[in-house]
Amino acid sequence: LPFDLFKFTGKAVNNDAKLEWIVNNQSDVLSYTIERSIDNINFEEAGTVDAKNSNAANITYNFTDFNAGNIAKVVYYRVHSNEVTGVRKYTNIISVNFGDFRDVYVSVFPNPVTDKTTVLINALTDETAQLNLVDNTGRIVHKMVVNLVRGNNSIQLDMSKFNSGLYYLDITGKTISQKIKLIKQ
């Protein structure tokens, strides 16, 4: 086998997910790709770490997924090798639990987006909010009114009809006022 996984762990530190994995026998590994998921089914790339040039035993790797707690209460992770032969070997899937949210938060997943993205809103109360998509010149290119319930809300946003570039997602309501950068590829 190209590499042997000895251990894969993750923990929440404030709003970040701190991941660590330890491998042996990684002679053909070029790098490791870290993938995350909010549903433990659909994974997207969170980052890549270059393989250390070593065949020593118990080689330790670390990766921090900054602000992962904004994505969901529980975020799932796996790592796969990128090998010289083109083969990928996956680790087991682990979860990082961020506990109960105490504040309103808004996040977009995936970001950057090619077609569709999900806007995740943790609301403090039931309310109606205005969601505006603003282009880089400050022009509102899309508006929608969303009815939020207390707790987690998931809103699908179709970005396929918009040009590539930088956008801002502006969400305002009774207890919420947040602006998030959104990149359309």
Side-chain angles (χ1 to χ4, degrees):
L1 295 173
F3 84 97
D4 295 324
L5 180 69
F6 178 67
K7 185 179 181 183
F8 181 33
T9 59
K11 64 181 177 180
V13 177
N14 296 320
N15 219 21
D16 302 334
K18 303 277 188 178
L19 308 177
E20 178 180 277
W21 62 101
I22 302 171
V23 300
N24 294 315
N25 305 322
Q26 63 162 12
S27 60
D28 291 335
V29 178
L30 300 170
S31 63
Y32 295 94
T33 299
I34 300 88
E35 296 181 343
R36 70 176 164 224
S37 171
I38 59 172
D39 61 7
N40 201 14
I41 297 169
N42 301 299
F43 284 83
E44 73 167 11
E45 184 176 324
T48 303
V49 174
D50 290 334
K52 296 175 183 174
N53 189 13
S54 173
N55 286 326
N58 299 332
I59 302 166
T60 301
Y61 291 92
N62 294 288
F63 178 81
T64 301
D65 192 11
F66 294 101
N67 296 313
N70 287 347
I71 296 171
K73 184 176 178 179
V74 177
V75 181
Y76 301 90
Y77 291 94
R78 67 184 181 188
V79 175
H80 72 74
S81 60
N82 299 302
E83 299 167 17
V84 174
T85 60
V87 172
R88 288 182 176 177
K89 183 177 177 189
Y90 284 86
T91 65
N92 55 310
I93 296 171
I94 63 168
S95 62
V96 175
N97 190 334
F98 290 93
D100 294 329
F101 292 107
R102 292 175 182 83
D103 297 318
V104 171
Y105 79 91
V106 177
S107 66
V108 180
F109 183 88
N111 187 11
V113 59
T114 51
D115 291 319
K116 293 183 181 181
T117 190
T118 301
V119 181
L120 298 171
I121 302 172
N122 184 39
L124 295 177
T125 183
D126 293 355
E127 66 179 290
T128 301
Q130 177 73 41
L131 187 148
N132 292 331
L133 185 65
V134 182
D135 69 14
N136 206 23
T137 66
R139 184 173 52 102
I140 296 173
V141 295
H142 182 70
K143 286 183 179 185
M144 58 191 296
V145 174
V146 291
N147 293 314
L148 302 175
V149 296
R150 184 175 186 269
N152 292 327
N153 297 266
S154 178
I155 300 149
Q156 297 298 312
L157 184 60
D158 185 356
M159 295 290 293
S160 60
K161 62 185 174 190
F162 299 108
N163 294 329
S164 297
L166 176 65
Y167 293 85
Y168 296 92
L169 196 57
D170 192 6
I171 298 135
T172 54
K174 185 172 65 174
T175 64
I176 187 168
S177 178
Q178 296 211 4
K179 186 179 275 191
I180 303 274
K181 281 185 185 177
L182 179 60
I183 298 169
K184 168 68 164 65
Q185 293 181 328

